[in-house]
Amino acid sequence: MTKAKKEKSSADGDEATAAGGNEKSYHELIANVNPIAQPLASRKLSKKLYKCVKKAAKVKNIRRGVKEVQKFINKGERGIVVLAGDTLPIDVYCHLPIMCEDRNLPYAYIPSKDLGSSAGSKRPTCVILIKPHQDYQDAYDECVEEVSNLPKPL
């Protein structure tokens, strides 16, 4: 009898997490974004970027973290740079957009630090470089096109 109750309670807990009990909406996340977070990806583009990060993480084709991304941008590696818009202090990664513009790399801010969890890491990450790969080339090309069309800050 106790087993049935435990199973039932765990099933209820799963439904609560599946319904998104603690997820914030896009508008709530935008309220916490830094003033330098331009160009900011739309809700639709953010979802596409998260999916592309997940696919790239499966084939281990991403660079994550400020130090690693900066190193590989300097080495001339190509890809899409995705930055979290709610990182504080701003000084941690404010130099990366300038590096991306100098090397003609597409970059975009997304509203939340969920980059780490979408990349399969338990730690929050503020910067990810998605490298191109055959397994997810269509999604990658679509993201590159949309990120490149975002208006750059002045």
Side-chain angles (χ1 to χ4, degrees), residues 50-93:
Y50 280 129
K51 286 181 182 178
C52 198
V53 166
K54 283 183 183 180
K55 290 176 183 177
K58 282 184 183 176
V59 292
K60 298 191 181 354
N61 217 20
I62 58 171
R63 306 286 185 201
R64 69 184 87 153
V66 175
K67 202 172 179 183
E68 188 175 355
V69 169
Q70 180 179 343
K71 179 171 79 173
F72 284 100
I73 287 174
N74 283 332
K75 285 186 176 182
E77 202 163 273
R78 305 300 299 167
I80 306 171
V81 178
V82 182
L83 302 128
D86 61 351
T87 303
L88 288 175
I90 299 172
D91 301 343
V92 172
Y93 71 134

Side-chain angles (χ1 to χ4, degrees), residues 13 36 79 142:
I36 67 161
E142 192 176 331

Side-chain angles (χ1 to χ4, degrees), residues 33-135:
V33 169
N34 292 330
I36 67 161
Q38 293 295 328
L40 185 65
S42 65
R43 171 185 279 159
K44 197 173 186 180
L45 179 56
S46 294
K47 285 186 178 183
K48 288 180 184 178
L49 287 169
Y50 280 129
K51 286 181 182 178
C52 198
V53 166
K54 283 183 183 180
K55 290 176 183 177
K58 282 184 183 176
V59 292
K60 298 191 181 354
N61 217 20
I62 58 171
R63 306 286 185 201
R64 69 184 87 153
V66 175
K67 202 172 179 183
E68 188 175 355
V69 169
Q70 180 179 343
K71 179 171 79 173
F72 284 100
I73 287 174
N74 283 332
K75 285 186 176 182
E77 202 163 273
R78 305 300 299 167
I80 306 171
V81 178
V82 182
L83 302 128
D86 61 351
T87 303
L88 288 175
I90 299 172
D91 301 343
V92 172
Y93 71 134
C94 64
H95 61 285
L96 288 175
I98 298 162
M99 291 175 65
C100 292
E101 288 176 8
D102 289 345
R103 290 163 182 81
N104 293 324
L105 286 176
Y107 71 95
Y109 287 87
I110 56 172
S112 177
K113 283 188 276 194
D114 287 341
L115 278 173
S117 61
S118 65
S121 173
K122 292 180 181 174
R123 296 188 130 281
T125 302
C126 62
V127 183
I128 285 186
L129 173 71
I130 308 170
K131 300 190 301 183
H133 194 271
Q134 302 298 337
D135 292 351

